[in-house]
């Protein structure tokens, strides 16, 4: 797993990125809509969950932890809270 924060130019706004939310219970949600991403951001911000992203490549896909929530918020154009 890689760090989105440490990856220069991580494409937070790309429609090719699959965002995933993981809860301590093991429950997993895929974040597709604006509302899902906003709620996931809020839960990750308060420590209730963690966000991950899969960035597909030509030969393989990489898994990233979203460890810069502010960059995620800006890239997804989520309202400031």
């Amino acid at each position: 797993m890689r760090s989105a924060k440490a990856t220069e130019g991580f494409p937070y706004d790309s429609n090719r990125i699959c965002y995933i939310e993981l809860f301590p219970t093991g429950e997993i949600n895929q974040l597709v809509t604006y509302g899902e991403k906003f709620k996931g951001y809020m839960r990750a911000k308060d420590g209730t969950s963690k966000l991950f992203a899969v960035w597909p490549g030509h030969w393989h896909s990489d898994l990233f932890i979203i460890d810069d929530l502010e960059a995620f918020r800006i890239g997804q154009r989520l309202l400031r809270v």
Side-chain angles (χ1 to χ4, degrees), residues 6-22:
T7 302
E8 187 175 331
F10 187 86
Y12 291 98
D13 60 345
S14 172
N15 63 359
R16 296 185 65 222
I17 302 293
C18 175
Y19 288 104
I20 300 163
E21 182 178 17
L22 175 64

Side-chain angles (χ1 to χ4, degrees), residues 28-75:
I28 298 172
N29 290 332
Q30 183 177 353
L31 307 177
V32 178
T33 67
Y34 177 91
E36 292 168 343
K37 290 174 184 176
F38 182 79
K39 289 176 185 176
Y41 163 77
M42 293 300 293
R43 287 187 292 260
K45 188 174 173 186
D46 74 15
T48 306
S49 67
K50 291 186 179 187
L51 299 183
F52 298 87
V54 177
W55 185 359
H58 186 69
W59 300 107
H60 67 277
S61 298
D62 291 319
L63 177 65
F64 292 81
I65 186 164
I66 302 301
D67 46 0
D68 186 344
L69 292 173
E70 185 65 8
F72 172 76
R73 184 191 67 76
I74 292 168

